[in-house]
Structures are given as structure tokens and as C-alpha cells.
Amino acid sequence: MAYDPLSDEQREIRDLVRTLARERVAPRAAEIDKTAEFPWDMVELLREYDLFGLPYEEEYGGTGTGALMVLVAIEELSKVCATTGLLLAVQELGSLGIKLAGNDDQKRRFLPRLASGEALAAYALTEPGSGSDSAAMRSEARREGDEYVLNGSKRFITNAGVAELYTVFAKTDTEAGHGGISAFVVESRSPGFEVGRIEPKMGIKGSTTGEIFFNDCRVPAENLLGEEGEGFRIAMRILDRSRPGIGAQGLGLAQGATDYALEYAKTRETMGKPIAEHQLIAATLADMETKCEAARGLLYKVGMMIDEGAPDGEVTKISAMAKLYCTDVAMEVTTDAVQILGGYGYIQEYPVERMMRDAKITQIYEGTNQIQRLVIAREMLKENRAFLLAGVA
């Protein structure tokens, strides 16, 4: 039995999402991948069942069920369609800046529209020459009266062109490095906001990934999140809490591929018996299931830590670990699933080849897994230094 720390209410929501995933999402997954069109029908499904409300508190129209529940829902959706799972993950990513750094007015103005799914959200940090090195960003924002004027561009933005609200990072002080970055809520109807190229991709094809441009884009000063110069800190706090969502997407892909490979191996016969009874196949399946279960324990732990209000430093480390491990497992396990299906695994009639393609991006976006290893090591060194200093004291 899979690790399950959920309350009765959370289990009910999980079972609802699982049923919707199997009955409504799974039949659409191959077509979404084939057409590479944004799945507005899946958006409508999440709206209909209030699933966009999972990341939000009740006072803003959400369910108030916590971070762990969001991860479970993303996992269940991603078992059958990673693009649909990403809809929920990016809705949280794009709104976390408002949740973490927004004032009461900003929360009242923006969060109810996001909780209902009326508006979709996006997170805009990456630039053509600035990925992991955010201090190298070139987008700038200057104050003019009651507005900020933004100039620059962002690249690889999930939900580009479909989101109405973007959490955007730009430099208000070009000489201050990380300390010069500020955060803004930019609405897609803002003058000077433009969507550029939407990228063709190897996987998660139904999700839009593209460029956005700011050409003297005018944003009300009241849309500044926090204070000027706090943008980098806000961006990192957001990623600490959003990376587990990508871990959940990876875990969903891994578990979905494992489940499919198992069913296939029970019915496909060679040498007079199901291939699941051949030792090498059985051992591979056992390893796949073990990796999924280990990943789930790590992922659910970070969800519970966030819900319990763990300190930022503790969340940073476990979040990076969960994202790293779940997504590495996703790539390993989906590849194993293709191998178990043999030639059938390589053709589009079967879902595991799509799952393998979808899995790759989880190791890259919201901080590459190489960066996650650096984050984990940095936090380990901090902990060791604190321990040594405590010993001296």
C-alpha cells in the first residue's frame, strides 16, 4: 500500500481527482499531445470541480486544504496527462508571489480570480541570457509617478499567451545585482505587454511555453509585490514552494508509467508465460515501484512541512531534494517502462513513449537538477556550520 498521510477530507478529494483523471483526462491525453493545442477543456474541467481552488485559502475562494493536497492532485492528474497536471502546478507557481508577498488589497484583487480558474497565472523570471543566474537579468522597471514602466523580455514562460496574470521580475536598480530586482503583478491587458513566439517542444506539448515582451509596459505602482529590491528573495521563496509541484508531476509520470507497464507485463506472454513472471522484468518492475514509493515519501514530507509552517531554510533543502529525486525517478522509470513494452513502448499507440518525453522537462524547469544539487549542498554546509558554532558556544 502506498504511503498515505492524508486526512479523510483529503482522501475524498484525492479520490475525486483520481476518478476525473481516469474518466475525463486520460481519454484526452494522446490527442492533446498530438495536436499540441492548449487544452481549454481541461481548464474547464478543473474549474467545474473547483480544483483550481486547492492552492488557496477559503477567504479568497479556495478550499483551504493545504500544500500537501495540491501535490497529491498534481500527482493524480499527471499519472495520465502531465500537461493537465501542469495546469494546476503553474496556477500555484504564478500566484505564490501574491500569496507570500502581496498585501491585503493585492490578495483581494487577484486571488479570487485565480482560485476560481477565471484567470490563469504565470511566473516570469527566466530571460534569454538569464536562467539559473537571475542577477544577470536585463529587464528593467523605472518608476514614473503612479506607475512603473517595464522594458525587456522573458523566455520559456509556461502559460505564455493564455495567462491573464504574470508574476514578473525586473531590475529597479541595475547596479545592485540580486538586490536590485523587484517583483510585479502584470496583467496581460497592460499597455506594452506582448506575447512572442510559442515554442514547439519534445513533451508537455499542450502547455504553452513562450516569450513575452515589455515595451514601455505600464504597470500600476500598486502592483509592486513587497518593496523595491525584494524581488530576488520573493522569487526564491516562491521556488521553494513551487518546486515540489514539479516533483509531483514527475512522480505522477513515474507511477503512471509503472502502473501501465505492470498491466502490460501481466498480459504480454513470451515463452509460455506472462513477461511479468520473467525474473528480469519482475525485478525491473520492483525497482520502478520502489523508486516511486521512496519519491512519494519525500514529496509528501515537504508538503506537510509547508503546511506546518516549517522555517524557510528547512523548506529550501527538502524542496530541492523532493524536486531532484522525484524528477530523476520520472526519467528513469518512464524509460524502464518503454523498455518493458519493447517495440510497442516506442510507438505512439501506447502512452509510455509520451510519458518518457514529458518526463525530461521535469529535470530542467523550475531549477535544473544540477542546481538542486548545489542548493542541497549549500544548505548542508549551512547546517554543519551552525552545528559547529553551537558546539563552540
Side-chain angles (χ1 to χ4, degrees):
M1 179 179 293
Y3 175 57
D4 183 8
L6 306 182
S7 67
D8 289 342
E9 179 189 11
Q10 289 171 324
R11 287 192 189 95
E12 288 182 10
I13 298 173
R14 179 197 61 194
D15 292 346
L16 167 65
V17 178
R18 183 174 291 172
T19 299
L20 290 173
R22 289 174 177 172
E23 296 180 359
R24 304 281 297 276
V25 181
R28 280 279 290 130
E31 186 69 13
I32 291 169
D33 180 68
K34 182 179 179 180
T35 64
E37 293 177 357
F38 186 76
W40 284 108
D41 58 329
M42 294 295 98
V43 172
E44 187 55 42
L45 181 69
L46 300 190
R47 288 170 176 165
E48 180 183 351
Y49 287 90
D50 294 327
L51 297 185
F52 280 123
L54 291 174
Y56 306 97
E57 296 301 323
E58 291 182 82
E59 63 183 302
Y60 302 113
T63 60
T65 45
L68 175 59
M69 191 67 249
V70 178
L71 300 179
V72 171
I74 296 169
E75 176 191 352
E76 292 296 332
L77 293 169
S78 299
K79 285 179 182 178
V80 298
C81 179
T83 292
T84 303
L86 190 60
L87 291 174
L88 183 55
V90 176
Q91 191 76 343
E92 180 178 44
L93 169 65
S95 62
L96 272 166
I98 303 168
K99 291 170 61 178
L100 294 171
N103 56 41
D104 289 341
D105 176 66
Q106 290 168 335
K107 291 177 180 178
R108 284 193 299 269
R109 278 195 292 140
F110 299 125
L111 293 184
R113 292 169 58 201
L114 298 172
S116 68
E118 173 192 343
L120 299 182
Y123 178 84
L125 178 65
T126 300
E127 297 185 1
S130 166
S132 300
D133 181 15
S134 56
M137 75 169 57
R138 294 187 176 182
S139 294
E140 298 181 10
R142 68 178 187 276
R143 181 76 181 256
E144 287 189 2
D146 293 333
E147 294 179 316
Y148 282 91
V149 180
L150 274 62
N151 281 284
S153 66
K154 299 292 179 179
R155 189 87 187 269
F156 301 131
I157 305 306
T158 306
N159 277 4
V162 298
E164 291 185 27
L165 298 175
Y166 295 76
T167 299
V168 176
F169 299 85
K171 285 190 173 179
T172 46
D173 183 346
T174 58
E175 304 299 322
H178 287 136
I181 299 171
S182 299
F184 305 87
V185 178
V186 178
E187 299 181 73
S188 59
R189 64 174 182 266
S190 302
F193 177 90
E194 180 184 346
V195 177
R197 168 186 167 91
I198 300 299
E199 303 289 352
K201 305 189 298 293
M202 173 171 41
I204 55 165
K205 290 186 174 183
S207 173
T208 65
T209 303
E211 296 176 301
I212 57 175
F213 297 96
F214 310 101
N215 302 306
D216 287 333
C217 178
R218 294 191 170 271
V219 178
E222 62 190 16
N223 284 18
L224 174 70
L225 291 171
E227 302 294 331
E228 285 192 11
E230 292 184 349
F232 179 75
R233 183 180 65 85
I234 292 170
M236 295 304 103
R237 291 191 72 212
I238 290 170
L239 291 174
D240 283 346
R241 288 157 179 79
S242 67
R243 281 173 177 153
I246 301 307
Q249 184 187 32
L251 173 58
L253 282 163
Q255 190 66 65
T258 299
D259 294 345
Y260 195 92
L262 174 61
E263 289 304 309
Y264 177 87
K266 286 160 57 178
T267 57
R268 168 70 168 167
E269 292 191 2
T270 63
M271 303 172 195
K273 62 182 178 180
I275 63 172
E277 295 180 16
H278 292 289
Q279 287 185 352
L280 289 176
I281 298 295
T284 301
L285 287 166
D287 285 345
M288 292 162 69
E289 183 77 356
T290 300
K291 290 173 183 177
C292 288
E293 193 64 17
R296 184 171 293 107
L298 191 55
L299 181 73
Y300 286 15
K301 179 178 179 179
V302 70
M304 289 187 289
M305 287 176 65
I306 293 170
D307 286 338
E308 292 165 2
D312 282 355
E314 293 179 18
V315 171
T316 297
K317 179 183 174 184
I318 195 73
S319 170
M321 292 170 72
K323 195 272 186 185
L324 166 68
Y325 188 72
C326 289
T327 60
D328 278 355
V329 163
M331 198 67 244
E332 294 166 9
V333 167
T334 55
T335 304
D336 286 340
V338 170
Q339 190 71 24
I340 288 173
L341 268 69
Y344 292 110
Y346 200 71
I347 62 177
Q348 293 181 357
E349 183 180 349
Y350 294 81
V352 291
E353 66 86 28
R354 181 185 76 243
M355 292 173 171
M356 186 176 75
R357 287 187 286 106
D358 288 346
K360 186 60 203 174
I361 190 59
T362 67
Q363 295 179 301
I364 298 171
Y365 58 12
E366 289 199 44
T368 66
N369 283 6
Q370 287 80 5
I371 290 294
Q372 303 314 310
R373 288 176 169 88
L374 294 178
V375 169
I376 294 163
R378 182 193 66 204
E379 295 301 317
M380 290 169 66
L381 290 170
K382 284 182 182 177
E383 291 170 0
N384 185 62
R385 188 158 51 245
F387 175 78
L388 292 174
L389 289 174
V392 171

